[in-house]
Amino acid sequence: MSRVYNFSAGPSMLPEAVLSRAAAEMFDCGGSGQSVMEMSHRSPEYEKIIFGCEELLRKIMNIPSSYKILFMQGGASNQFSAVPLNLLSEEDTADYAITGSFAKKAYQEAKRFSNVSEIASSADKNFTYIPAITPSMLNPDAKYLHICYNNTIYGTCYQSVPETGCKDLVADMSSCILSTPVDVSRFGIIYAGAQKNMAPAGLTVAIIREDLIGHARSNTPIMLNYKTFADNDSMYNTPPCYPIYICKLVLEWLQNDIGGLENMESINRKKASLLYDYLDNSKLFIPIAEKPYRSIMNVTFRTGDDRLDKEFVEGSAAFGIVNIKGHRLAGGMRASIYNAMPYAGVETLIEYMSRFEAAHK
Ligand SMILES: *Cc1c(COP(=O)(O)O)cnc(C)c1O
């Protein structure tokens, strides 16, 4: 079996230990005589999976008991609508920081429902940095500040949680959740599409402080209302059963094989430093994101010559590297090095980059 190093921004690699376990349990999960894909979500076997997943996530992320964990669908994009519908009346306002394309989509979607404002933006430099945010920048009547914590396309990340005074902070953490510890109590809502660092596509996780649930405007679709999920243990209807099961296996891997989020962070920093150090010393490749705002999950770079970028992407397959092409909005290349990307994958990428560089002196 030959596996590639998949640098895709999502869906992305899963730990091999998780794939092996899923394969072993494919026909018979835990002596049930069935695959998880075939199980009733109301069965005691499945309840163990979904409640076990929730409990592990709470433990690993140290989520306070005053927060609900909701297993939803529709991707992070669905939360772009859910957040304003649940938190704002038509007269209410909220603030949005525009640090990339997903941040902008969230803002544009919220604008359809309420009069939200853009309070900061890094569009002036094609989103290569994170603008400073201070409480005085926020509108006095804003109900929350929405941020995109890690900007998947541009490779930037907040390096600390912005101060919002008394305002609730809502964060899209799709591409950085579980990559480092976070102080959940600093946030009103954290949400993430699972297909980057948690599970296969199909699951969306929302972590919500309880007092923010139950205020949705009356015409909110039932499947966008956080209360529907909170009141029914995320099983008002059929949940994404299999992605939740894989999420539980990923969390078990994080806890037992990695040893928790502190260890995960140090592994991730080691991988990212290896690549950034190479980029900083390269005479051919140029890192795209400004140094103080670099993401440790999505590393963006280019050569400055579109033709060479194309040649680099085309030659990568010979090294077992796939999906290294950058997003069309950022150009160049992007190496997404999520939790499941092995250190050896980054070493292989650097090996290829060094050879490419030597051949193009
Ligand atoms: C991938 C991504 C999204 C979009 O997620 P979907 O689950 O496909 O809707 C939104 N925000 C961020 C930060 C992402 O990385």
Side-chain angles (χ1 to χ4, degrees):
M1 183 189 62
S2 141
R3 284 184 44 85
V4 293
Y5 291 117
N6 178 10
F7 288 91
S8 167
S12 47
M13 294 182 80
L14 285 163
E16 278 188 7
V18 168
L19 296 178
S20 302
R21 171 96 183 267
E25 294 182 340
M26 182 59 73
F27 286 84
D28 177 9
C29 182
S32 66
Q34 339 159 40
S35 165
V36 176
M37 282 184 251
E38 305 167 300
M39 265 178 202
S40 162
H41 60 291
R42 308 282 179 205
S43 64
E45 288 98 339
Y46 192 72
E47 285 194 347
K48 267 208 291 217
I49 293 173
I50 189 168
F51 295 137
C53 181
E54 182 185 337
E55 195 183 310
L56 254 182
L57 184 62
R58 193 178 292 281
K59 184 168 169 223
I60 290 173
M61 285 186 69
N62 198 16
I63 299 171
S65 57
S66 53
Y67 284 71
K68 288 275 191 199
I69 298 170
L70 309 181
F71 296 126
M72 302 177 72
Q73 302 191 50
S77 305
N78 217 38
Q79 298 300 314
F80 299 168
S81 331
V83 168
L85 285 170
N86 279 272
L87 268 46
L88 303 177
S89 73
E90 272 170 59
E91 292 74 39
D92 285 337
T93 71
D95 291 340
Y96 279 70
I98 313 299
T99 52
S101 119
F102 291 119
K104 192 166 171 189
K105 283 181 171 165
Y107 168 67
Q108 286 169 335
E109 181 64 7
K111 231 178 162 40
R112 299 178 56 223
F113 304 114
S114 293
N115 182 26
V116 296
S117 345
E118 169 184 326
I119 54 116
S121 170
S122 49
D124 59 334
K125 291 191 193 165
N126 199 30
F127 303 117
T128 49
Y129 69 104
I130 300 283
I133 293 171
T134 58
S136 65
M137 293 161 69
L138 306 181
N139 286 301
D141 48 0
K143 290 273 181 189
Y144 61 83
L145 168 68
H146 180 280
I147 61 170
C148 179
Y149 210 86
N150 184 80
N151 297 278
T152 324
I153 292 175
Y154 301 93
T156 62
C157 186
Y158 286 82
Q159 306 295 313
S160 60
V161 181
E163 291 293 341
T164 56
C166 56
K167 305 287 182 201
D168 286 320
L169 185 58
V170 176
D172 177 355
M173 288 204 179
S174 295
S175 50
C176 60
I177 193 161
L178 298 177
S179 64
T180 65
V182 284
D183 180 356
V184 174
S185 71
R186 299 281 306 275
F187 298 85
I189 301 179
I190 292 171
Y191 64 83
Q195 68 274 21
K196 280 119 195 201
N197 239 352
M198 307 185 93
L203 168 65
T204 310
V205 174
I207 300 163
I208 308 187
R209 212 179 58 234
E210 248 160 6
D211 61 283
L212 296 174
I213 299 173
H215 312 290
R217 59 181 77 175
S218 59
N219 58 357
T220 301
I222 194 159
M223 293 307 293
L224 281 175
N225 193 329
Y226 293 135
K227 193 166 168 15
T228 308
F229 290 80
D231 287 352
N232 295 282
D233 292 325
S234 298
M235 288 192 282
Y236 170 79
N237 72 336
T238 319
C241 299
Y242 202 74
I244 290 170
Y245 157 74
I246 299 288
C247 187
K248 178 165 176 276
L249 298 188
V250 167
L251 293 167
E252 285 169 0
W253 167 82
L254 252 173
Q255 174 167 270
N256 304 329
D257 298 18
I258 301 297
L261 291 184
E262 274 89 7
N263 288 1
M264 194 71 253
E265 173 170 19
S266 64
I267 294 168
N268 285 331
R269 291 205 180 278
K270 234 177 102 190
K271 286 187 286 182
S273 304
L274 192 66
L275 190 44
Y276 283 122
D277 286 349
Y278 175 79
L279 285 169
D280 286 336
N281 291 303
S282 169
K283 296 205 164 54
L284 179 67
F285 295 103
I286 310 154
I288 296 177
E290 287 184 20
K291 206 168 183 172
Y293 312 102
R294 286 172 171 175
S295 165
I296 59 170
M297 293 282 100
N298 311 97
V299 179
T300 50
F301 57 97
R302 57 184 153 79
T303 62
D305 176 341
D306 290 348
R307 214 175 24 93
L308 270 189
D309 286 353
K310 193 161 174 271
E311 191 184 327
F312 180 79
V313 171
E314 283 168 0
S316 63
F319 285 75
I321 291 167
V322 297
N323 295 319
I324 196 71
K325 191 177 190 298
H327 191 281
R328 74 194 143 73
L329 294 173
M333 279 72 71
R334 170 178 53 181
S336 296
I337 50 173
Y338 296 120
N339 288 356
M341 172 60 69
Y343 191 77
V346 180
E347 287 179 322
T348 301
L349 174 60
I350 292 173
E351 168 72 24
Y352 172 43
M353 292 170 81
S354 321
R355 290 206 203 177
F356 190 89
E357 184 165 350
H360 292 85
K361 266 221 240 309

